Amino acid sequence: MALATAGLLFASAAQAATSRTSWVVSQIYGYNHPLAATDSADLATKMSTMAASAFDFYRGTDHIFYQDMATLPASAYTTAQTGFTWIGGDAHIGNFGAWQDSSGNNVFSADDFDEGYLGQYVWDLRRLATSMVLAGRANGIADNDITTAIKTMVAAYMSEMSDFKGSSDELSFQLKNGNTSGVVQDTIGDSKGDSRSSLLSKYTQLSGSTRSFQTIANTLVPVNSSTYSAISAAMNSYIGSISSSKRYAASYYQVKDIRQKLGSGVGSLGKLRYYVLIEGASSSTSDDVILELKQELASAVAEVDNGQLSAADYGNNEAQRVALTAKAQTLNADVLIGYANINGMAFYFHEKSPFEEDFDFTQLSSAGKLNTAATYLGQALASAHAISDQDYNSAIVSYSIDKQVTDAVSSTSGLQSEISTFAFNYAAQVTLDWQSFVSAYDAGTALY
């Protein structure tokens, strides 16, 4: 069936939510069980977190979302060419935030790249819009107002893509304090007010002239000697993964201490995560740097279009894929982004930035706040898609995605309605799936 025809069917017929308990339990077990041998404590945290709300369940099950994308009808506003958009893959409302880029600008953007892959741009729009339904309802916002916010987000996305078409504006566009308002502007302001000393005080301690990590129960815990040695040994490979033009002197990367980080995120719980304290620019303890190392698996997007992004493009290394996505989708990217294998597992490296602020969706406590934020969410997503096409690496995406998307969307109002309809229908499915999960969780069913 042609994409356009399938999309029209989808738009005209309600997508009925169905109970599928055994399938959901099987999917969750199959995805998480391979991680149980290395990080069962975090998997227990993941399950209890997902049981708390439909939105938390949604955050932890992007693999289910893409299984569904493989079977649900396509959009009326896609083409073969738009299927080569470099998407984030997990564009829910909690995966945006503020940070300070490598040029010192405090900006708001997409900030999670674990599932980065080539796919249809509408998958990011669908996933974001569905998260707006779940988060909006959790905040007590009426469905009519959530619908308005989704349409605002889609309109902002399309307006920005249209602006980028035929220009190079995407290579300078950033959301900053001066062109934002509301909760997004507040998040940028919080980032601007952060400091390296505050981050170091939170996680480290000084003993004389020596800085080391604190041990924080259920948050930051020691690693055994073999893991410590394996991470230390991987540093040279990591440094080699950084472009020579962005590489510091070897002394910058000198390892001072290592801890395992527990309890971060939702979907990524169960994947190993480490913090590595390194020397930084000088021998002073005031400019020490924390690197975050995160185990990476195959992208969930590959479940629906495996091979769209050639493994050769990322060296058949999933951490390299994530590093490429992070650099492709952000202007003035973190210069410490890199990757290495540790004990046979792929790890994505980046700075645990002192200036990083997560976007707190619970602050979107009114229709007006959600609608204001929706504009910036749409713009941020458009920016990520537009700068990661031929502008980043024409060998991976050989043309302008902003042009392809703009040309494919014959009606912005049509796309708004389609995405909104999808979001509410899929939120109903997520809620049913969550209820199935909770029943299994409460019954003690093996989920990992």
Side-chain angles (χ1 to χ4, degrees), residues 304-319:
V304 61
D305 67 350
N306 190 29
Q308 195 89 316
L309 177 64
S310 169
D313 288 330
Y314 54 93
N316 204 28
N317 184 297
E318 300 299 342

Side-chain angles (χ1 to χ4, degrees), residues 26 66 97 109 126 138 143 155 163 173 222 242 285 317 331 398 434:
S26 174
Y66 283 101
S109 69
R126 286 177 171 185
D143 283 358
D163 287 347
F173 176 82
I242 301 172
T285 57
N317 184 297
L331 293 177
S398 60
W434 169 62

Side-chain angles (χ1 to χ4, degrees), residues 159-206:
S159 177
E160 214 60 59
M161 292 297 261
S162 179
D163 287 347
F164 295 153
K165 177 184 174 182
S167 74
S168 298
D169 289 353
E170 64 266 39
L171 300 181
S172 59
F173 176 82
Q174 290 183 305
L175 291 167
K176 303 178 183 179
N177 183 72
N179 62 353
T180 57
S181 60
V183 176
V184 168
Q185 186 183 63
D186 292 343
T187 306
I188 296 170
D190 290 343
S191 169
K192 200 172 183 67
D194 289 339
S195 68
R196 185 169 300 278
S197 61
S198 294
L199 181 71
L200 291 173
S201 294
K202 180 178 181 179
Y203 291 115
T204 71
Q205 59 195 357
L206 276 173

Side-chain angles (χ1 to χ4, degrees), residues 138-444:
N139 287 349
I141 298 174
D143 283 358
N144 284 344
D145 293 323
I146 296 171
T147 298
T148 297
I150 290 172
K151 290 183 175 181
T152 295
M153 180 272 290
V154 174
Y157 175 89
M158 287 308 306
S159 177
E160 214 60 59
M161 292 297 261
S162 179
D163 287 347
F164 295 153
K165 177 184 174 182
S167 74
S168 298
D169 289 353
E170 64 266 39
L171 300 181
S172 59
F173 176 82
Q174 290 183 305
L175 291 167
K176 303 178 183 179
N177 183 72
N179 62 353
T180 57
S181 60
V183 176
V184 168
Q185 186 183 63
D186 292 343
T187 306
I188 296 170
D190 290 343
S191 169
K192 200 172 183 67
D194 289 339
S195 68
R196 185 169 300 278
S197 61
S198 294
L199 181 71
L200 291 173
S201 294
K202 180 178 181 179
Y203 291 115
T204 71
Q205 59 195 357
L206 276 173
S207 177
S209 60
T210 301
R211 185 180 294 280
S212 60
F213 280 119
Q214 303 174 45
T215 295
I216 306 172
N218 302 315
T219 300
L220 213 57
V221 298
V223 299
N224 60 38
S225 58
S226 62
T227 299
Y228 197 109
S229 296
I231 293 172
S232 297
M235 289 298 290
N236 282 339
S237 178
Y238 155 64
I239 295 167
S241 75
I242 301 172
S243 169
S244 58
S245 64
K246 298 182 183 298
R247 203 177 300 158
Y248 296 121
S251 59
Y252 188 102
Y253 306 96
Q254 179 184 337
V255 174
K256 304 178 79 170
D257 201 9
I258 300 172
R259 288 288 189 277
Q260 183 177 356
K261 178 67 172 67
L262 302 175
S264 293
V266 180
S268 58
L269 287 169
K271 300 174 186 176
L272 292 171
R273 191 186 304 246
Y274 300 106
Y275 282 0
V276 178
L277 185 68
I278 59 175
E279 183 65 70
S282 75
S283 58
S284 168
T285 57
S286 65
D287 61 3
D288 288 352
V289 170
I290 298 175
L291 292 177
E292 183 173 42
L293 284 56
K294 188 175 180 183
Q295 181 188 359
E296 299 295 348
L297 306 177
S299 169
V301 183
E303 295 180 3
V304 61
D305 67 350
N306 190 29
Q308 195 89 316
L309 177 64
S310 169
D313 288 330
Y314 54 93
N316 204 28
N317 184 297
E318 300 299 342
Q320 184 177 352
R321 173 185 55 76
V322 177
L324 281 172
T325 303
K327 290 185 287 187
Q329 293 200 335
T330 52
L331 293 177
N332 307 322
D334 171 15
V335 297
L336 294 176
I337 287 173
Y339 59 92
N341 288 346
I342 301 169
N343 291 329
M345 294 175 282
F347 281 82
Y348 165 58
F349 287 58
H350 67 109
E351 181 177 7
K352 173 62 179 175
S353 173
F355 310 102
E356 181 180 3
E357 289 287 340
D358 292 335
F359 185 50
D360 182 2
F361 78 90
T362 65
Q363 294 185 29
L364 304 177
S365 53
S366 70
K369 290 179 179 180
L370 178 62
N371 196 54
T372 297
T375 292
Y376 307 125
L377 291 169
Q379 289 177 327
L381 191 59
S383 172
H385 288 174
I387 63 175
S388 54
D389 59 6
Q390 63 183 6
D391 295 318
Y392 177 67
N393 187 334
S394 60
I396 297 177
V397 182
S398 60
Y399 44 77
S400 169
I401 284 295
D402 34 288
K403 179 183 186 304
Q404 295 298 327
V405 169
T406 302
D407 290 350
V409 179
S410 56
S411 168
T412 295
S413 63
L415 181 64
Q416 287 174 302
S417 295
E418 183 191 278
I419 295 296
S420 178
T421 298
F422 175 91
F424 280 96
N425 288 336
Y426 197 72
Q429 183 64 63
V430 172
T431 301
L432 267 183
D433 291 346
W434 169 62
Q435 291 167 347
S436 296
F437 167 77
V438 170
S439 295
Y441 178 76
D442 289 344

